[in-house]
Amino acid sequence: MQITEVKNSAEAIALEDKHGAHNYHPLPVVLSKGEGVFVWDVEGKKYYDFLSAYSAVNQGHCHPKIVGAMTKQAETMMLTSRAFYNDVLGKYEAYATEYFGFDKLLPMNTGAEAVETAIKICRKWAYEKKGIHEAEAQIVVFDNNFHGRTTTIISFSNDETARKNFGPYTPGFIKIPYDNPEALEKVLQENNNIAGVLVEPIQGEAGVYTPSDDFIPQVKQLCNEHEVLFMADEIQTGIARTGALLAVCGKCNCQGHCEQQATYAKPDVLILGKALSGGAYPVSAVLANNEIMDVIQPGQHGSTFGGNPVAGAVAIAALEVVREENLAQNARILGELFRSEMNKYIENSTIVSKVRGRGLLNAIVINDTEDSSTAWDICVALKENGLLAKPTHGNIIRFAPPLVINEEQLLDCVSIITKTLKDFER
Ligand SMILES: *Cc1c(COP(=O)(O)O)cnc(C)c1O
């Protein structure tokens, strides 16, 4: 048995195509190295990364502090399983719960697992604390949501590609329009079996669909009034991406530490993943206070790798970097600059109809039909010009660089993007 040498991008792509399942449609670029905001392909060409692995790499590629914590821990102890205690998990849980302001944390690995965990906690809470009859709990979700790819999660997706032929679907979800508090109020009034509301503060995969400023605070208020759990999926929006520690922090930059702020809608259940490890390792978590988290008892939920020492060490380092390097503030300031520069371009553009987003989670909407390949073609051209981005649903391109980007680099990227777009103007 020989391991195939990969000599160039074409060979790497051909190998994946032949031997790997075709569950993704990547841009034709093969990356082999990353540092900060940059990545390099096999041929040595350098790119700005404007996807950041869907906002997992907020702290930048191969951040030395995170790599250091990871290798040190990897040389000492990698996995114990939860059959035994390890000397990192408690330290991580203490740090992260204080950091985000919750009593307890339940550690998992991937984002979808954390969402599944939140759903289980919510249902159990509904039966044991709220008094809903067994197996009758409903969870409210929103049109065009993205919460992952497990069987239960795709059951309440309305992305046909993600759903079709994967049924039978898991029942117990009610889907309503996003950014529409009246629809939420109506469903809460009409139904006594609602256990929770699962919401993305900004819908990333749907195309960085940014709701009105008061939507999330209204969701929280309605949840409080109707005694249902407000569950925020901040896997993509959290950890400084939108210019605050969490997107539910709204416009204030208190990093979640000022509950008196009218804009801070503290969730009952907070779901994190992606940048919780700075992209180094699969680390996800659900945070909640005791009266909610304590419904979970031994044997009722778990994961072999969840809470392993490497994950704990990596997550502590990744969260420290966010504070030490003021990433939320950087995202807020450079995000405003990015949108204002893009708006200057859009004024005279026929190909881009708008830019939207918050902090450094932004998207441009391409002025073409949803099924056209324009957004994809623009991303291919951006790649040729040294910047990597990917279309999301519809004709929308997401721009989400690592949050360690500086002003000079950001302006350089704006010029690459506008120069590329000019070739597509009609
Ligand atoms: C990426 C993402 C998930 C799923 O995370 P995985 O680690 O891919 O399972 C869930 N919710 C949101 C909002 C996401 O962006």
Side-chain angles (χ1 to χ4, degrees):
M1 288 286 275
Q2 248 191 327
I3 299 180
T4 320
E5 285 301 323
V6 171
K7 289 191 281 300
N8 55 45
S9 293
E11 284 184 15
I13 292 172
L15 275 179
E16 277 200 30
D17 194 51
K18 180 158 182 229
H19 301 285
H22 292 183
N23 59 328
Y24 276 90
H25 181 34
L27 216 65
V29 60
V30 182
L31 301 175
S32 60
K33 187 180 133 177
E35 188 185 320
V37 297
F38 296 111
V39 289
W40 286 261
D41 70 14
V42 196
E43 281 75 22
K45 182 173 171 172
K46 184 179 178 182
Y47 305 88
Y48 282 105
D49 179 0
F50 255 52
L51 182 66
S52 305
Y54 301 96
S55 297
V57 193
N58 286 3
Q59 297 87 335
H61 287 275
C62 298
H63 193 291
K65 178 166 180 153
I66 302 173
V67 173
M70 183 167 175
T71 47
K72 183 161 172 262
Q73 188 58 48
E75 283 169 353
T76 317
M77 168 60 85
M78 289 202 254
L79 185 63
T80 56
S81 86
R82 299 285 303 278
F84 312 114
Y85 289 90
N86 71 66
D87 65 353
V88 183
L89 179 57
K91 202 166 96 176
Y92 159 51
E93 289 169 333
Y95 184 74
T97 50
E98 195 197 332
Y99 198 98
F100 293 102
F102 289 88
D103 293 338
K104 287 200 168 83
L105 177 152
L106 196 157
M108 296 296 281
N109 312 285
T110 66
E113 283 177 320
V115 173
E116 289 275 351
T117 302
I119 292 168
K120 285 177 70 177
I121 293 171
C122 180
R123 285 179 168 181
K124 206 154 185 294
W125 172 87
Y127 303 129
E128 295 173 9
K129 301 278 169 134
K130 188 172 173 176
I132 292 178
H133 285 295
E134 209 203 313
E136 284 179 11
Q138 300 283 323
I139 292 175
V140 176
V141 296
F142 295 89
D143 287 342
N144 301 322
N145 67 72
F146 181 83
H147 296 285
R149 312 294 193 136
T150 63
T151 314
T152 287
I153 293 170
I154 58 105
S155 295
F156 56 82
S157 165
N158 53 335
D159 174 357
E160 267 311 290
T161 314
R163 262 176 73 85
K164 195 172 174 212
N165 290 337
F166 293 117
Y169 302 112
T170 308
F173 299 93
I174 302 174
K175 197 155 54 223
I176 63 170
Y178 190 66
D179 198 15
N180 185 333
E182 292 76 30
L184 178 58
E185 184 163 27
K186 186 159 177 278
V187 78
L188 288 168
Q189 275 166 356
E190 286 172 357
N191 196 320
N192 293 324
N193 292 333
I194 294 180
V197 175
L198 174 63
V199 65
E200 299 160 86
I202 292 173
Q203 290 187 324
E205 294 309 301
V208 190
Y209 191 81
T210 313
S212 16
D213 286 345
D214 55 359
F215 175 59
I216 291 297
Q218 280 176 301
V219 171
K220 180 185 165 79
Q221 200 193 327
L222 286 167
C223 285
N224 283 354
E225 283 168 19
H226 292 268
E227 206 200 342
V228 310
L229 299 185
F230 166 40
M231 300 188 284
D233 179 348
E234 291 250 19
I235 292 168
Q236 185 161 160
T237 52
I239 317 191
R241 172 54 60 187
T242 65
L245 180 61
L246 299 171
V248 291
C249 292
K251 286 189 163 163
C252 110
N253 192 36
C254 64
Q255 302 228 327
H257 287 292
C258 66
E259 283 178 67
Q260 68 275 19
Q261 285 280 342
T263 54
Y264 178 39
K266 184 177 182 172
D268 299 309
V269 177
L270 173 64
I271 308 168
L272 296 174
K274 294 196 168 119
L276 187 51
S277 73
Y281 204 72
V283 183
S284 68
V286 173
L287 291 109
N289 284 343
N290 288 335
E291 63 271 20
I292 297 166
M293 195 65 96
D294 288 349
V295 300
I296 298 291
Q297 292 300 312
Q300 294 168 353
H301 193 55
S303 155
T304 302
F305 283 85
N308 71 75
V310 177
V314 161
I316 291 173
L319 291 173
E320 282 189 301
V321 168
V322 169
R323 278 215 180 133
E324 287 165 3
E325 302 188 16
N326 287 318
L327 295 187
Q329 188 181 325
N330 198 50
R332 192 158 41 92
I333 295 168
L334 293 188
E336 269 160 35
L337 178 65
F338 180 77
R339 286 185 299 280
S340 84
E341 290 295 313
M342 288 308 298
N343 274 323
K344 281 185 212 160
Y345 177 82
I346 291 167
E347 266 175 40
N348 299 308
S349 172
T350 52
I351 194 71
V352 184
S353 53
K354 75 192 237 181
V355 59
R356 67 176 171 227
R358 207 189 291 159
L360 282 173
L361 181 59
N362 294 292
I364 55 171
V365 181
I366 302 301
N367 183 18
D368 205 337
T369 53
E370 283 219 356
D371 56 354
S372 83
S373 66
T374 312
W376 174 269
D377 298 340
I378 291 171
C379 288
V380 172
L382 283 169
K383 168 188 110 66
E384 296 306 319
N385 295 334
L387 186 145
L388 298 179
K390 193 91 200 287
T392 63
H393 287 92
N395 243 320
I396 294 165
I397 302 172
R398 172 172 32 201
F399 290 128
L403 309 182
V404 293
I405 194 167
N406 64 35
E407 184 175 331
E408 190 193 335
Q409 292 165 336
L410 187 93
L411 291 174
D412 191 24
C413 293
V414 168
S415 98
I416 294 173
I417 292 166
T418 53
K419 182 175 144 261
T420 307
L421 287 170
K422 275 195 188 110
D423 293 336
F424 287 83
E425 297 289 351
R426 288 169 283 231

